[in-house]
Amino acid sequence: MWGVALTVHTDYLRFNTESRQEIVRITDKVKTIVERSRVQDGTVLVSAMHITAGVFVNDWESGLIKDFEVWLEKLAPAGLPYKHHQTGEDNADAHLKRTIMGHQVIVPITAGRLDLGPWEQLFYAEFDGQREKRVVVKVMGV
Amino acid sequence: MWGVALTVHTDYLRFNTESRQEIVRITDKVKTIVERSRVQDGTVLVSAMHITAGVFVNDWESGLIKDFEVWLEKLAPAGLPYKHHQTGEDNADAHLKRTIMGHQVIVPITAGRLDLGPWEQLFYAEFDGQREKRVVVKVMGV
Amino acid sequence: MWGVALTVHTDYLRFNTESRQEIVRITDKVKTIVERSRVQDGTVLVSAMHITAGVFVNDWESGLIKDFEVWLEKLAPAGLPYKHHQTGEDNADAHLKRTIMGHQVIVPITAGRLDLGPWEQLFYAEFDGQREKRVVVKVMGV
């Protein structure tokens, strides 16, 4: 589309996970916000607002999600003598894990729909939960 | 630029790599799409639509590309007893490798050109190829 | 906001770090550019233009920043016999480290301000400094 005026639409998702670490599928919630925006062609930014959580795109398969958790524990283990813990915190590993997974994604919107490949699903990755956290969702387009 | 109407232009790149794992330079293909969009000032999203492939920006130097491959095999080895493989798949490592590399980039467009630094090049990273895959390219700007 | 014309505003940050490796907080510099753009609702792309530097969002806590440095050295050590070094370079690890940290972020702008969570701060991550480098900052919105 050429020469059409811009729509910007903002919303927030809220999470308060039962476990400290949890991976939550959010594709449908993002889809609902995009539909509400009426944007037909553009992008939607989905970005964790907390520094121990991430947002990523991958496969909705429980085995793979478990593989991600095991892998992250290997690359960024909990319980090491992190300097960050001298402040009274105990979650340095959560900051590292979210860095590997990424804290935001941009999803293209085409013909009013999330322009995702056949297996792409959006996930919220909590690494230090059990308290309220937010994800900002910003739709931009025409 | 202030107060100009928005252009959104979408295209797709297709890949069917000969090897299972392959890193393909795509700077020129993205440049061509940006030129076709006539956008002078804005951004272009370049995003893998498959969950075992990535898109990243780095150096176009064959030794470094080999270093990336060796490094990814160390951080996310193939052939481990991943839970994902209980579904019949054998590519869990590809999901992990693409996560490290990232699955999308946004390139700024300034004065009608990709606003890249002197050594920045765009790459498609295939980790489970030998079949058709797509990358969505979405240009937005004025 | 619906149906308003687009503003695109571009600026560049310059860095020349004293140490080879350095993590520099840039939240305020990005905020200043966003204010100058007069955009009230949109996004700002903050993207390293050099392939041995990154941009990321995390906590402004010196212990954690040190943890990041130690962790990156473990995941992507300097001094290995990287193939990239056969070209005369000695910085392959810097390319890998920046890949883990990410080379760009998109920050949402809402009501004229960076729409960040309580602890989110923007950082420039230099892994091969002591020479001039740039970060492109592209504001888009209404």
Side-chain angles (χ1 to χ4, degrees), chain A residues 12-82:
Chain A
Y12 301 87
L13 301 176
R14 279 170 178 78
F15 300 88
N16 194 334
T17 58
E18 279 185 34
S19 322
R20 180 161 187 171
Q21 191 165 309
E22 211 165 310
I23 292 180
V24 184
R25 194 177 73 95
I26 58 172
T27 316
D28 297 333
K29 288 184 175 179
V30 173
K31 194 184 295 186
T32 300
I33 294 171
V34 167
E35 287 167 0
R36 209 177 291 150
S37 78
R38 289 179 267 164
V39 165
Q40 296 299 303
D41 203 3
T43 57
V44 54
L45 169 67
V46 185
S47 188
M49 300 184 79
H50 297 261
I51 51 194
T52 49
V55 172
F56 69 97
V57 168
N58 219 298
D59 198 359
W60 188 21
E61 197 280 296
S62 58
L64 185 68
I65 289 170
K66 190 70 193 153
D67 292 330
F68 266 113
E69 290 172 344
V70 169
W71 179 63
L72 289 169
E73 199 55 46
K74 207 172 67 183
L75 290 190
L80 295 189
Y82 293 109

Side-chain angles (χ1 to χ4, degrees), chain C residues 84-105:
Chain C
H84 186 45
H85 296 177
Q86 296 172 11
T87 65
E89 291 285 356
D90 63 353
N91 62 3
D93 68 299
H95 294 267
L96 306 182
K97 287 176 170 111
R98 93 81 170 246
T99 299
I100 289 178
M101 295 311 289
H103 87 281
Q104 59 182 194
V105 299

Side-chain angles (χ1 to χ4, degrees), chain C:
Chain C
M1 287 184 218
W2 270 263
V4 191
L6 176 69
T7 294
V8 186
H9 179 79
T10 309
D11 211 330
Y12 302 86
L13 301 175
R14 279 170 177 77
F15 300 89
N16 194 333
T17 59
E18 279 183 35
S19 322
R20 180 161 187 171
Q21 191 165 310
E22 211 166 311
I23 291 179
V24 184
R25 194 178 71 95
I26 57 172
T27 316
D28 297 333
K29 288 184 175 179
V30 174
K31 194 184 295 185
T32 299
I33 294 172
V34 167
E35 287 167 0
R36 209 176 292 149
S37 77
R38 290 179 266 163
V39 165
Q40 296 298 303
D41 203 3
T43 57
V44 54
L45 168 68
V46 185
S47 189
M49 299 183 80
H50 298 261
I51 51 194
T52 50
V55 171
F56 69 97
V57 168
N58 219 298
D59 198 0
W60 188 20
E61 196 280 296
S62 58
L64 184 68
I65 289 170
K66 190 69 192 156
D67 291 330
F68 267 113
E69 291 171 344
V70 169
W71 179 64
L72 289 169
E73 199 54 46
K74 208 172 66 184
L75 291 189
L80 296 189
Y82 293 109
K83 286 204 174 358
H84 186 45
H85 296 177
Q86 296 172 11
T87 65
E89 291 285 356
D90 63 353
N91 62 3
D93 68 299
H95 294 267
L96 306 182
K97 287 176 170 111
R98 93 81 170 246
T99 299
I100 289 178
M101 295 311 289
H103 87 281
Q104 59 182 194
V105 299
I106 314 275
V107 186
I109 301 163
T110 308
R113 303 178 58 179
L114 298 180
D115 198 349
L116 295 170
W119 302 102
E120 285 189 294
Q121 296 279 346
L122 278 156
F123 293 94
Y124 172 72
E126 177 63 81
F127 297 111
D128 187 22
Q130 300 170 316
R131 50 199 168 120
E132 195 178 90
K133 303 249 192 131
R134 289 194 303 157
V135 166
V136 54
V137 181
K138 173 99 50 182
V139 188
M140 285 178 69
V142 293

